[in-house]
Amino acid sequence: MHVAQAPLRSPRGDPAQATLSAFLQTLQQGLGDWLPTAFDDTHDSLERVAQATASAADRARLATLRATLRLQRPVWLPALAQAIGRTIDEEFHGLGELPRAAAAREQSLSLLDEDTIDEDIALSRLTQVAELEADAALRELAARCSNLRGLPSVRPDAHPMRPAVVARGLRQALAGFGLDGAQRLDLLRHLSAAIGNQLAPVYARQVAVLTEWGVQPMRFGMRDLAEGGADAGAD
């Protein structure tokens, strides 16, 4: 699947800070290159599932959601890009612990909330697909971002747009779409899968950007390899 590519721009000025700032801008601006395709794939997925569904009520529900997605696309698409961009910015500036802590508190108060559990499962689809298809690129990004940020060892969370960060932005965006619980869960299931399938080429492009800018990967140690498997970014 083709992903539009913005022209590379080499950072200028102070090497470390300029490269960090330029990389953040590249991540956020790049959202507009691939999120529209994810919306298209979500619309097609809803249509396929509706056609294969035996229940007339389910077909009607999915058809309504598909029509709403098409109608609200001019509003929802930029809102989603903004939400994901905001979570990237929080991670980049070390603020990601705040929304994660708030989410943990919220979940602790709703352990028996079936909708929350179902949403977690849907979001896990995004991270699982992306991590499976882009494992090598994610490791490369962790190594290069750790070096770029001057960390003493490789840390998977050095990359501010890992799959769990994207998933958190998706959840925040859908919370503002005005959908009821069933509609939100339907959209989350299909959009999570569509976004997860888009991320592998996105991460490959990010590796190419850092390589073009001369950012070298930090070498993994045994501890890094053990921690890398445990991250899975369940933010």
Side-chain angles (χ1 to χ4, degrees), residues 138 141-142 146 154-160 162 220 224 227-229 231-233:
L138 286 169
L141 286 166
S146 294
V154 177
R155 289 178 48 177
D157 61 356
H159 178 223
R162 60 195 182 279
F220 280 91
D224 298 324
E227 291 179 348
D231 174 70

Side-chain angles (χ1 to χ4, degrees), residues 79-87 99-100 102-104 106-108 110 113-124 126-127 163-179 184-185 187-189 191-192 195 233-235:
L80 178 57
Q82 183 178 29
I84 295 176
R86 184 168 56 248
T87 58
R100 279 198 291 274
E106 179 181 342
Q107 289 181 4
S108 70
S110 57
D113 185 342
E114 187 174 344
D115 288 344
T116 299
I117 296 173
D118 288 340
E119 288 182 7
D120 288 341
I121 294 172
L123 287 168
S124 71
L126 186 161
T127 58
V165 177
V166 177
R168 191 166 71 243
L170 173 59
R171 175 174 241 154
Q172 292 176 7
L174 261 65
F177 282 4
L179 299 170
R184 185 171 63 251
L185 183 57
L187 182 56
L188 190 60
R189 283 170 173 160
L191 192 50
S192 290
I195 289 177
D235 297 297

Side-chain angles (χ1 to χ4, degrees), residues 55-118:
S55 167
D58 288 343
R59 285 198 303 273
R61 187 186 76 252
L62 293 174
T64 298
L65 179 58
R66 192 170 71 251
T68 303
L69 178 64
R70 184 170 56 249
L71 180 66
Q72 294 295 328
R73 179 187 176 110
V75 176
W76 286 357
L77 184 55
L80 178 57
Q82 183 178 29
I84 295 176
R86 184 168 56 248
T87 58
I88 293 171
D89 190 68
E90 290 167 352
E91 287 290 323
F92 183 83
H93 291 101
L95 302 177
E97 291 298 330
L98 296 178
R100 279 198 291 274
R105 287 194 299 272
E106 179 181 342
Q107 289 181 4
S108 70
L109 295 175
S110 57
L111 292 178
L112 300 180
D113 185 342
E114 187 174 344
D115 288 344
T116 299
I117 296 173
D118 288 340

Side-chain angles (χ1 to χ4, degrees), residues 20 57 86 158 176 196 206:
L20 282 169
R86 184 168 56 248
Q206 292 172 10

Side-chain angles (χ1 to χ4, degrees), residues 190-212:
H190 291 268
L191 192 50
S192 290
I195 289 177
N197 287 326
Q198 286 291 309
L199 286 175
V202 171
Y203 291 141
R205 174 63 176 167
Q206 292 172 10
V207 172
V209 168
L210 293 179
T211 301
E212 179 74 13

Side-chain angles (χ1 to χ4, degrees), residues 142-158:
R144 291 179 188 269
C145 289
S146 294
N147 188 28
L148 180 60
R149 303 180 82 163
L151 300 178
S153 62
V154 177
R155 289 178 48 177
D157 61 356

